[in-house]
């Protein structure tokens, strides 16, 4: 996983683009300010993860889920993010579902509402299985 | 822009999910993260970057020169409670000459007995200042 300290950095070009979107046109962002914001973003990820993990632990779950991250935002006093995040998540879920269905339609060309429902359930299972597999991989590496 | 065209996943979120996952997993107590949580964390980080930049610009001094500077950011970390968790990684910069004067004053003010402890603290501060420059 994170073998070198650079692995915990976020790509500078992307960070710069995101900063520019938030500022009026023509504002100069010093190099030091960029790297400071980039570091702050990495710390934010860790802080959010740790808060979210506390919520997962309280719920006796091993896997962090969307609700944990949203609760973490509230706890960190970033309530203002919650509504836009929920909106994005809706779009993201729809997109992911569309992709998976497109993939399955390639394999099978059958279509009915009932199958749609069963697919949704299958998708959820898939996600969990993926996470478990990853965990196993890591354990192997660690040993 | 190229990234947006190449993959559908990049339209909603610009930060790479793989990298976000690496950072999240670097925290030892985290065992697994589902896809929604990963996406939300990436998106939240984007909102955070924008909020931090916009807030610091609005409340900072660089605005006069149409610029966002490091001291605007460290000022935000110091003054705004929501951003307080950044205070350690965004320390206020001071001039070396000022720092030396502070040390001298501390020596004059400080009691004789606490010598060792103070030395340790000073070293830590020194490192923090040096980090900023790099």
């Amino acid at each position: 996983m994170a073998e070198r300290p650079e692995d915990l950095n976020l790509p500078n070009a992307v960070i710069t683009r995101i900063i520019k979107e938030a500022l009026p046109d023509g504002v100069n962002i010093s190099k030091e300010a960029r790297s400071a914001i980039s570091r702050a973003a990495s710390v934010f990820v860790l802080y959010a993860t740790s808060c979210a993990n506390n919520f997962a632990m309280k719920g006796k779950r091993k896997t962090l889920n969307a609700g944990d991250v949203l609760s973490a935002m509230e706890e960190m006093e970033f309530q203002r993010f919650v509504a836009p995040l929920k909106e994005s998540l809706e779009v993201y879920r729809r997109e992911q579902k569309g992709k998976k269905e497109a993939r399955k339609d390639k394999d099978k060309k059958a279509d009915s509402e009932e199958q749609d429902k069963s697919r949704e359930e299958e998708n959820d299972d898939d996600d969990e299985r993926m996470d478990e597999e990853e965990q196993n991989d890591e354990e192997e590496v660690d040993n | 822009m190229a990234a947006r065209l190449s993959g559908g996943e990049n339209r909603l979120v610009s930060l790479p999910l793989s990298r976000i996952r690496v950072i999240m997993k670097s925290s030892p107590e985290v065992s697994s993260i589902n896809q929604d949580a990963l996406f939300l964390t990436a998106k939240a980080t984007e909102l955070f970057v924008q909020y931090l930049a916009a807030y610091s610009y609005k409340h900072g001094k660089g605005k006069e020169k149409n610029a966002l500077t490091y001291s605007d950011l460290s000022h935000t970390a110091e003054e705004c409670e929501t951003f307080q968790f950044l205070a350690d990684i965004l320390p206020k910069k001071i001039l070396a000459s000022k720092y030396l004067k502070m040390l001298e004053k501390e020596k004059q003010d400080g009691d004789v007995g606490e010598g060792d402890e103070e030395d340790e603290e000073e070293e830590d501060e020194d490192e923090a200042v040096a980090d900023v420059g790099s």
Side-chain angles (χ1 to χ4, degrees):
Chain A
M1 288 261 98
E3 280 155 8
R4 300 160 303 164
E6 305 93 86
D7 290 343
L8 302 181
N9 294 344
L10 292 161
N12 277 325
V14 183
I15 292 286
T16 304
R17 201 203 314 149
I18 299 170
I19 300 171
K20 280 190 176 159
E21 278 170 26
L23 297 177
D25 279 346
V27 172
N28 182 46
I29 310 153
S30 81
K31 210 180 158 193
E32 232 180 340
R34 285 171 209 230
S35 73
I37 293 179
S38 181
R39 262 182 293 145
S42 293
V43 171
F44 175 84
V45 174
L46 287 171
Y47 182 26
T49 305
S50 146
C51 280
N53 195 57
N54 284 343
F55 285 104
M57 269 165 36
K58 265 185 221 160
K60 303 208 165 122
R61 281 174 285 104
K62 272 191 170 179
T63 305
L64 298 194
N65 65 28
D68 296 329
V69 178
L70 292 173
S71 305
M73 290 303 124
E74 304 243 359
E75 177 140 311
M76 293 161 75
E77 288 179 52
F78 289 110
Q79 298 94 331
R80 55 166 59 222
F81 295 170
V82 172
L85 284 178
K86 278 183 178 167
E87 268 175 47
S88 303
L89 182 62
E90 286 269 302
V91 182
Y92 179 72
R93 278 179 172 159
R94 239 178 286 144
E95 219 175 63
Q96 294 297 101
K97 207 182 148 201
K99 258 192 242 168
K100 275 182 185 167
E101 267 168 21
R103 235 179 282 151
K104 286 199 176 175
D105 283 347
K106 265 189 182 174
D107 302 340
K108 270 189 240 165
K109 279 190 178 173
D111 231 321
S112 79
E113 271 184 50
E114 227 175 299
Q115 271 176 333
D116 270 342
K117 265 186 197 167
S118 65
R119 259 180 221 161
E120 249 175 77
E121 282 161 20
E122 267 175 45
N123 288 346
D124 286 342
D125 287 351
D126 278 354
D127 281 344
E128 270 170 32
R129 225 176 292 144
M130 255 166 56
D131 280 326
E132 272 169 25
E133 268 166 28
E134 234 168 305
Q135 226 181 306
N136 292 340
D137 284 352
E138 247 171 71
E139 275 163 17
E140 275 167 29
V141 173
D142 284 342
N143 288 337
Chain B
M1 272 306 167
R4 285 183 187 205
L5 294 174
S6 64
E9 257 167 88
N10 290 324
R11 257 185 305 138
L12 271 170
V13 64
S14 355
L15 289 169
L17 294 186
S18 54
R19 180 53 60 99
I20 298 284
R21 187 192 276 277
V22 169
I23 301 174
M24 291 175 86
K25 289 240 175 168
S26 75
S27 163
E29 71 264 34
V30 173
S31 48
S32 64
I33 305 148
N34 82 13
Q35 195 65 25
D36 284 351
L38 177 61
F39 167 79
L40 277 184
T41 306
K43 192 74 202 166
T45 308
E46 284 188 22
L47 296 174
F48 167 78
V49 166
Q50 297 194 325
Y51 185 33
L52 174 62
Y55 186 97
S56 302
Y57 181 69
K58 198 176 155 199
H59 296 88
K61 282 186 182 148
K63 206 173 170 184
E64 293 155 23
K65 288 185 210 150
N66 212 25
L68 178 66
T69 65
Y70 176 83
S71 67
D72 294 338
L73 296 165
S74 64
H75 182 255
T76 297
E78 194 179 45
E79 298 298 325
C80 175
E81 213 173 302
T82 317
F83 290 112
Q84 209 97 71
F85 71 97
L86 298 172
D88 285 344
I89 62 149
L90 298 175
K92 256 210 157 147
K93 277 207 279 187
I94 58 168
L95 289 173
S97 58
K98 241 188 188 174
Y99 179 65
L100 290 174
K101 264 183 207 161
M102 263 169 56
L103 285 189
E104 229 165 81
K105 207 177 165 232
E106 240 172 65
K107 264 184 202 159
Q108 280 166 7
D109 295 349
D111 294 326
V112 191
E114 297 172 8
D116 282 353
E117 228 177 284
E118 259 180 40
D119 276 344
E120 256 179 43
E121 273 173 34
E122 279 159 20
E123 262 173 34
D124 284 345
E125 277 174 44
D126 227 338
E127 269 171 26
V129 174
D131 274 346
V132 169
S134 65

